[in-house]
Amino acid sequence: MSWHDDFLKKFFHDPVDKPFDIPTHERRVKEYAEIFGVSGIEEAGYSDQIASCMERSLLPKDIKQEFDEIRHPFSDGIIPVKGIDFNQAMEKTKEIFKEIANEYKWKSDQEKSFLIWRNLLEELIQRVDDNLKQFIPLLPADTRIPDHSIWEHLKITTAVNAWFLKQERQEFEGQGNSLFLFTIGPVQSFISQARKAQDFYMGSFMLSYLTFIAMEKVIEKYGPTSIIYPDLYRQPLMDWYLENEKVKWLSIKNPHSKDIALPTIPNRFVAIIQTTDETEIKNLANEMRQAIKDEITAARDTIFKELKISLNDSQKNIVYNQLSDFPQIYWVAIPWRKGDRDLGIIEVLEKDERGEDKKVKNFYKEDLKDFFTDEKLKNWQELWDFGKDKGEHEPNIGFLYQLLYTALEKSMGARKNLREFRQNPEAGRKCSVCGERNVVFFWESKNKDKFKRYNPDALDLTKKISEKYLSDGEGLCSLCFLKRTFDIHLKEKVSDAFKDFSFPSTAEVASADFKEKAIENAKDEFYKFVKRFHELAKKDYLKVKPLPKLENKITENLEGSWFYEENYTEKEGIDINTKEIEELKEKLKKITDKVEKPSPYYAILYLDGDNMGRWLSGELLPEIQHAYNSEVWERLPEEFKKELEKYVPKKILTPAIHSAISTALRNYAIEFVIKIVEEEHLGKLIYAGGDDVLAFVNLRDLFDVMEKLRWAFSGQIKFENGNIEVDMSNTSGFVLKNGVYYLTMGKNATCSMGVVIAHYKEPLKIVIDKVFEMEKKAKHFDDRKNKFAILLMKKSGEERVGIAEWLIDGNLTTEILKTLKDDMNTENKNYISDGFIQKLKQEFAKIKEKEGSFGLTEGIFNTELKRLLTRHYNGPKEEKRKIIEDFYNNAKLLFWQTGGDIDNFTNLLEITSFMNKGE
């Protein structure tokens, strides 16, 4: 049976407008199913029961509640719901369903299933009244526990394989499901092995893309809702799949396939697969592995054909061996059945109220003793008994989801400890990028023997392929060459978005603000220079795209490194004579006479969600009371509440929670991160997989991007005139965008960030390693996380590291740094000269030497700080007092709230000042 054979009957077992009127929802189920021509919805009953038990099993009987609020799943946030005519809303829903059903009537069941899953929510948002529109993605599955949406409930129900059997007037239920976890790697080492920005980006994209290739096997067999984490709804690769790949030419509403070049799929996924058969699970995993291997083989063949690369047998063997170990693939599965019963559950006979025997389900801890302590299992035994005795419905396998997921993660940890090592040493000159494998492809115009002497089978591609793919003096192994040229395969297989693909270089990022100012203030001079350079250089690969924010401003671009005069003497890869060089210098000077020279520094940042493992395990979920509607919680019997809080002080982890986390992270990446980095600021995303973000950023916009990324992660932002602004007063966990509420991780979720400011000529591999190091430093500086760490790498070799929390005494640290930066800007008519920083260092070095660390009192520091600021003020006297006082208050706050560490404090100031003028 194909997944779509029962998808529709499971999807329509509950109406999406269920909270509008609970008593009549069963009647509407029949109406809506009839509208879409769906029969057999009663067969979804046990799938619904399992999903419901996962989500809301701890309710006493006979509790009712009107739809008047939505609870945030990971915090105490609430959105009140009012001003909606629910009768009118139900009529509108029915009308919309009739219109959609008419549009879909000639579609196959498979097409209908995909379209209902992908488009129905979008259709409702587009067609309902504005007052209702905002709540559509958040409509609760249960108004009594409104912390999970009907969409999440329907997703889980359609993912679960369960049934009722009738035999001799008796009804039996059964299920056949497994939790499945799949991951590929290596991640950080593969991504960080890069000489060019394009290597860095493509490493991220390849892992994201290959993970999705594996996901396709699950989607084809069990449907898109079986993938619990990450959420595939509105993911660019999933929309591409629906429009162009296996299911062709489906009309997707508001497709995100336009963002196909942005990797948003993480390197791991969790699925509920509808089987417990060991052979079927192994076959599925093998199909995934083979699909990835086939994709790599297809990419290799496409690339070699496009570049006209012909290999002899010895070279083919080397290429095969070097690609055979990539990627590392791991998977584990936890079947929910053990023999003829559900895992962790045993049926026993108990007497009912009339003294007759009845079958009841009890928790059976022996099944899980290998994964948990006796104390943990004892607690779950008590919780099960409480749910059975006091709950609205008897617990079932869905109740144990948290235990099953924890066992799954522990199994993966054990599996990764059993790594397969294949020793395949190679003797010869190593790859210029990874330094691990032998050179197979090289470009060398001066000394051919450089590679051939040690690698006689290496293939000379000098002047045979574009310098975009291989630079003079560079030799690559098969895997790094595949990564460098993978856009050729993506152009053929995926999208024209990869045609003539170029990823901005570090120089392009560094010079972006210069280009923006040049277009505004020296437009004619800019285009004359660019046009003449292209006429002389005649190199197509220099015609790169500017950063996304500038694409509509710059009609003809030139690779950023050629706006730095220092490169003209080196003549890097272009054949221009001395006279032509002088001509170009003169044209460049005409631009810099109107616009200051470009800074040679850029920033790279890496944001990572804090404690994501603990969020996914349920450890950080809020108190159980925050699952309930406020009025329901007040009405619950006190005895019930006390027992409930005793057994479950926090919410229980459910697949709906996992789905909500996935939805929040997807919203963050697609709705906020792209806009912040690429639309509102001069940046370029490398990766945005939800809880982690990698991006290049121009120095001018660094603090703004850092700030917005951090607070968007917690949902503490708002849209003002179409732009994102930090809004610390928004603690609901939801963000209103274009009239629709989007779920975020909420105020309790934090993230840490590593930032590196580097010269565009600094070897990229070093910079990448440093940014990951800074992120770890931010997380582990004092074990409190929720910080950022910035490293300034000067071309001179000096380094400065500054670490700070995101909030200082209720103030945004980035706002403090932006204010201090502006006050030290020598372009202003009044400013504080940054010379005071060195003086401050010297003064307190003396104090430390004379009196030790304890000699630095608040009075001494504050007095000396103000004295030095007064001496280094430049500007009109009438504004002197205010400028100094403001700077003093901000600097004092920064110093004492970052631990009173003079070195960290002065490093932060030096980094901040450096961003004004560079080196």
Side-chain angles (χ1 to χ4, degrees):
M1 179 185 290
S2 299
W3 68 272
H4 49 79
D5 289 338
D6 63 355
F7 172 87
L8 293 174
K9 64 184 69 170
K10 289 179 182 177
F11 186 91
F12 283 104
H13 85 276
D14 258 345
V16 295
D17 61 2
K18 180 179 178 179
F20 298 166
D21 188 23
I22 301 293
T24 65
H25 83 277
E26 291 183 358
R27 174 178 56 77
R28 299 201 306 283
V29 161
K30 295 176 182 177
E31 289 180 2
Y32 297 161
E34 186 177 337
I35 287 171
F36 280 94
V38 178
S39 60
I41 53 174
E42 64 281 353
E43 296 172 24
Y46 194 45
S47 296
D48 175 38
Q49 286 183 23
I50 291 176
S52 298
C53 186
M54 291 175 180
E55 298 154 6
R56 49 186 188 275
S57 56
L58 296 175
L59 269 169
K61 297 177 176 63
D62 301 322
I63 294 286
K64 295 180 172 48
Q65 177 60 44
E66 297 292 324
F67 177 32
D68 62 359
E69 68 180 28
I70 294 166
R71 302 297 306 245
H72 189 262
F74 326 125
S75 72
D76 60 359
I78 298 177
I79 301 178
V81 176
K82 52 189 176 182
I84 298 174
D85 184 331
F86 291 128
N87 288 324
Q88 184 179 343
M90 287 185 287
E91 286 300 316
K92 185 66 175 177
T93 302
K94 187 175 180 179
E95 177 187 321
I96 293 170
F97 276 13
K98 286 180 178 178
E99 293 171 359
I100 296 172
N102 188 56
E103 294 169 14
Y104 292 175
K105 64 183 177 182
W106 303 115
K107 301 289 184 183
S108 67
D109 282 349
Q110 183 189 38
E111 291 172 321
K112 278 184 185 178
S113 297
F114 273 126
L115 286 168
I116 290 291
W117 169 75
R118 178 56 182 82
N119 284 353
L120 185 60
L121 174 56
E122 302 265 3
E123 294 276 17
L124 288 170
I125 289 173
Q126 183 177 315
R127 303 189 197 197
V128 299
D129 298 336
D130 287 345
N131 197 33
L132 177 59
K133 169 183 171 181
Q134 58 189 322
F135 302 116
I136 288 293
L138 308 174
L139 296 177
D142 191 315
T143 53
R144 302 164 299 177
I145 301 184
D147 70 335
H148 62 285
S149 75
I150 187 70
W151 305 100
E152 284 151 1
H153 173 64
L154 295 176
K155 173 181 177 178
I156 304 307
T157 303
T158 57
V160 169
N161 175 30
W163 58 86
F164 287 123
L165 290 176
K166 291 187 177 181
Q167 294 179 358
E168 297 179 358
R169 302 184 194 176
Q170 293 189 56
E171 199 170 71
F172 302 89
E173 75 270 354
Q175 60 83 25
N177 300 278
S178 298
L179 266 184
F180 185 86
L181 173 58
F182 180 93
T183 180
I184 68 171
V187 180
Q188 194 162 309
S189 62
F190 181 66
I191 292 172
S192 63
Q193 289 170 348
R195 291 191 81 197
K196 297 183 176 182
Q198 183 160 329
D199 298 338
F200 192 24
Y201 159 80
M202 198 55 77
S204 296
F205 192 91
M206 283 179 71
L207 292 178
S208 187
Y209 176 69
L210 293 176
T211 303
F212 186 77
I213 293 297
M215 283 181 180
E216 285 185 5
K217 296 300 177 184
V218 179
I219 296 166
E220 289 166 11
K221 195 160 191 176
Y222 305 114
T225 57
S226 61
I227 306 287
I228 303 301
Y229 180 90
D231 187 9
L232 293 180
Y233 174 66
R234 300 184 81 207
Q235 290 281 3
L237 276 169
M238 186 63 198
D239 280 359
W240 159 75
Y241 172 90
L242 292 176
E243 291 177 313
N244 303 291
E245 187 62 359
K246 303 297 182 185
V247 186
K248 294 184 183 297
W249 306 300
L250 287 183
S251 180
I252 304 302
K253 289 288 179 181
N254 304 316
H256 272 273
S257 48
K258 59 182 173 54
D259 298 314
I260 189 71
L262 176 63
T264 60
I265 298 289
N267 72 308
R268 72 197 303 267
F269 66 88
V270 177
I272 294 176
I273 58 174
Q274 298 181 1
T275 183
T276 59
D277 183 79
E278 184 177 336
T279 301
E280 187 174 345
I281 295 170
K282 285 182 178 178
N283 288 341
L284 175 67
N286 289 333
E287 287 175 20
M288 294 179 191
R289 185 187 299 272
Q290 192 58 50
I292 290 174
K293 295 296 182 183
D294 290 346
E295 192 71 22
I296 292 171
T297 300
R300 179 199 67 193
D301 294 345
T302 300
I303 290 164
F304 287 178
K305 181 180 179 181
E306 176 75 16
L307 298 179
K308 296 180 173 60
I309 293 175
S310 180
L311 304 177
N312 60 38
D313 288 343
S314 178
Q315 290 165 338
K316 287 178 182 177
N317 189 50
I318 294 170
V319 170
Y320 174 82
N321 286 331
Q322 289 189 344
L323 296 179
S324 63
D325 289 338
F326 175 80
Q328 297 167 8
I329 297 173
Y330 302 99
W331 65 271
V332 292
I334 300 286
W336 295 4
R337 296 281 294 175
K338 189 168 185 177
D340 61 352
R341 60 180 174 79
D342 290 349
L343 186 71
I345 300 174
I346 190 167
E347 287 192 341
V348 297
L349 290 175
E350 289 185 3
K351 300 291 185 184
D352 62 17
E353 310 84 48
R354 294 176 294 180
E356 296 179 0
D357 288 341
K358 68 170 182 177
K359 281 187 178 180
V360 296
K361 295 176 179 177
N362 280 350
F363 179 63
Y364 188 66
K365 64 183 181 181
E366 293 301 309
D367 288 348
L368 299 162
K369 64 183 180 181
D370 292 340
F371 297 99
F372 304 99
T373 64
D374 288 341
E375 183 65 24
K376 181 75 172 177
L377 293 174
K378 180 175 177 291
N379 291 342
W380 271 86
Q381 177 74 66
E382 292 172 345
L383 177 60
W384 179 281
D385 292 341
F386 171 73
K388 184 177 72 172
D389 296 338
K390 303 291 179 65
E392 185 177 36
H393 299 291
E394 183 183 35
N396 58 44
I397 186 67
F399 193 74
L400 301 182
Y401 179 82
Q402 182 165 333
L403 291 179
L404 298 174
Y405 177 76
T406 304
L408 187 76
E409 288 286 2
K410 288 183 177 182
S411 299
M412 177 56 79
R415 173 63 188 89
K416 285 190 172 182
N417 287 332
L418 301 173
R419 297 178 186 273
E420 298 99 354
F421 288 101
R422 288 182 58 187
Q423 197 164 9
N424 190 20
E426 296 179 325
R429 193 177 185 98
K430 300 305 177 190
C431 172
S432 302
V433 173
C434 70
E436 296 176 2
R437 292 169 288 273
N438 279 359
V439 169
V440 180
F441 307 97
F442 71 90
W443 178 307
E444 180 56 62
S445 60
K446 297 176 183 176
N447 180 16
K448 302 289 184 186
D449 202 33
K450 173 180 175 182
F451 294 106
K452 278 289 188 180
R453 181 189 303 173
Y454 303 103
N455 304 75
D457 287 314
L459 188 62
D460 182 2
L461 295 178
T462 307
K463 297 187 177 179
K464 295 177 183 176
I465 66 173
S466 169
E467 292 168 78
K468 167 186 174 182
Y469 296 124
L470 208 53
S471 300
D472 199 354
E474 191 174 39
L476 302 182
C477 69
S478 303
L479 183 54
C480 291
F481 186 74
L482 184 78
K483 178 162 60 170
R484 180 72 61 80
T485 57
F486 202 68
D487 63 295
I488 295 173
H489 174 64
L490 294 173
K491 177 193 69 176
E492 293 296 317
K493 172 71 184 291
V494 179
S495 169
D496 282 343
F498 294 96
K499 186 177 181 181
D500 301 323
F501 181 78
S502 66
F503 193 85
S505 66
T506 53
E508 186 67 25
V509 179
S511 63
D513 62 326
F514 164 81
K515 290 184 176 182
E516 186 173 53
K517 285 182 281 189
I519 289 296
E520 292 171 357
N521 303 307
K523 188 174 182 178
D524 290 343
E525 292 83 353
F526 178 85
Y527 283 122
K528 285 177 182 178
F529 167 74
V530 170
K531 182 180 179 182
R532 186 57 179 154
F533 194 102
H534 286 309
E535 289 174 352
L536 295 173
K538 298 177 182 177
K539 298 282 186 181
D540 287 340
Y541 72 92
L542 297 177
K543 296 179 179 180
V544 299
K545 290 181 181 179
L547 293 188
K549 189 185 176 189
L550 301 181
E551 283 187 5
N552 294 327
K553 294 182 179 180
I554 298 178
T555 55
E556 187 174 4
N557 193 34
L558 171 66
E559 204 283 315
S561 60
W562 298 106
F563 290 90
Y564 300 95
E565 195 173 300
E566 62 195 65
N567 293 319
Y568 288 71
T569 56
E570 299 173 16
K571 296 166 63 173
E572 297 180 353
I574 59 172
D575 187 16
I576 301 178
N577 61 43
T578 304
K579 182 179 177 182
E580 291 167 339
I581 286 175
E582 291 305 314
E583 178 190 351
L584 290 174
K585 284 183 178 180
E586 288 178 13
K587 289 187 179 297
L588 180 58
K589 187 175 183 303
K590 288 181 179 179
I591 304 174
T592 56
D593 283 344
K594 291 187 175 183
V595 181
E596 62 186 21
K597 292 181 179 181
S599 166
Y601 286 83
Y602 72 100
I604 182 171
L605 63 81
Y606 174 50
L607 175 147
D608 188 47
D610 293 332
N611 304 308
M612 288 310 300
R614 295 173 68 194
W615 279 109
L616 288 169
S617 70
E619 186 179 342
L620 296 181
L621 293 176
E623 291 83 0
I624 188 66
Q625 73 177 75
H626 298 307
Y628 294 83
N629 176 282
S630 305
E631 293 181 15
V632 168
W633 181 256
E634 290 298 321
R635 297 201 312 268
L636 286 178
E638 286 301 316
E639 183 181 347
F640 183 91
K641 285 197 284 189
K642 284 179 182 178
E643 280 195 77
L644 181 65
E645 290 175 320
K646 173 186 172 183
Y647 298 126
V648 276
K650 294 184 177 183
K651 287 186 182 182
I652 297 175
L653 180 69
T654 70
I657 291 287
H658 273 165
S659 180
I661 290 174
S662 184
T663 298
L665 295 178
R666 182 207 66 219
N667 288 342
Y668 177 63
I670 294 175
E671 305 297 337
F672 308 141
V673 172
I674 297 173
K675 182 170 177 58
I676 291 167
V677 176
E678 298 195 348
E679 295 178 25
E680 295 187 356
H681 297 288
L682 295 173
K684 180 64 181 175
L685 280 165
I686 301 157
Y687 175 76
D691 69 305
D692 55 347
V693 175
L694 267 168
F696 288 126
V697 183
N698 181 271
L699 277 196
R700 185 196 71 186
D701 291 350
L702 176 59
F703 284 144
D704 286 330
V705 172
M706 289 172 60
E707 184 177 283
K708 290 181 182 181
L709 287 178
R710 163 61 188 93
W711 299 108
F713 187 79
S714 299
Q716 292 175 279
I717 57 171
K718 64 180 178 181
F719 279 78
E720 194 72 37
N721 299 320
N723 292 321
I724 291 175
E725 293 183 7
V726 174
D727 180 10
M728 298 303 290
S729 67
N730 181 9
T731 59
S732 69
F734 303 96
V735 174
L736 195 62
K737 177 186 178 184
N738 297 329
V740 178
Y741 276 112
Y742 286 86
L743 175 70
T744 74
M745 284 298 296
K747 64 178 183 179
N748 296 339
T750 65
C751 56
S752 299
M753 183 184 289
V755 182
V756 175
I757 298 170
H759 193 280
Y760 75 90
K761 285 195 173 184
E762 186 74 34
L764 187 57
K765 175 68 167 67
I766 294 174
V767 180
I768 296 168
D769 288 343
K770 289 287 188 181
V771 80
F772 289 133
E773 180 186 324
M774 286 302 104
E775 185 271 335
K776 288 183 175 63
K777 195 177 284 287
K779 281 188 186 292
H780 304 299
F781 179 66
D782 57 8
D783 293 326
R784 286 190 296 170
K785 302 185 180 181
N786 195 24
K787 293 183 176 65
F788 61 86
I790 304 182
L791 166 65
L792 169 61
M793 301 175 67
K794 294 185 179 181
K795 191 180 181 185
S796 62
E798 289 183 80
E799 292 189 354
R800 298 285 184 271
V801 176
I803 303 172
E805 295 183 5
W806 292 103
L807 272 180
I808 293 179
D809 198 24
N811 299 283
L812 300 182
T813 307
T814 42
E815 286 296 331
I816 293 173
L817 293 175
K818 282 190 282 186
T819 301
L820 294 174
K821 173 177 174 283
D822 190 55
D823 287 344
M824 289 187 284
N825 189 349
T826 57
E827 298 288 316
N828 296 335
K829 67 175 182 177
N830 38 38
Y831 64 93
I832 305 289
S833 169
D834 64 3
F836 88 91
I837 303 171
Q838 294 304 319
K839 292 288 185 183
L840 195 66
K841 274 187 174 181
Q842 293 166 11
E843 292 296 326
F844 287 103
K846 293 175 186 175
I847 293 174
K848 198 171 183 179
E849 183 180 346
K850 184 178 178 181
E851 302 183 33
S853 300
F854 297 105
L856 187 59
T857 65
E858 188 170 351
I860 292 174
F861 175 81
N862 293 352
T863 301
E864 187 59 17
L865 175 63
K866 181 167 277 191
R867 185 184 73 82
L868 289 172
L869 292 177
T870 303
R871 291 188 60 184
H872 286 80
Y873 171 79
N874 293 271
K877 288 184 179 179
E878 58 270 18
E879 297 182 41
K880 180 177 182 178
R881 182 175 179 179
K882 184 179 185 309
I883 296 293
I884 292 172
E885 195 66 27
D886 288 347
F887 195 102
Y888 166 73
N889 287 330
N890 280 313
K892 181 177 63 171
L893 187 64
L894 182 66
F895 176 73
W896 291 111
Q897 294 296 324
T898 53
D901 183 330
I902 192 69
D903 294 325
N904 187 61
F905 171 69
T906 53
N907 283 350
L908 283 169
L909 289 178
E910 284 190 68
I911 293 167
T912 302
S913 174
F914 182 90
M915 290 168 65
N916 279 323
K917 60 182 183 180
E919 193 170 26

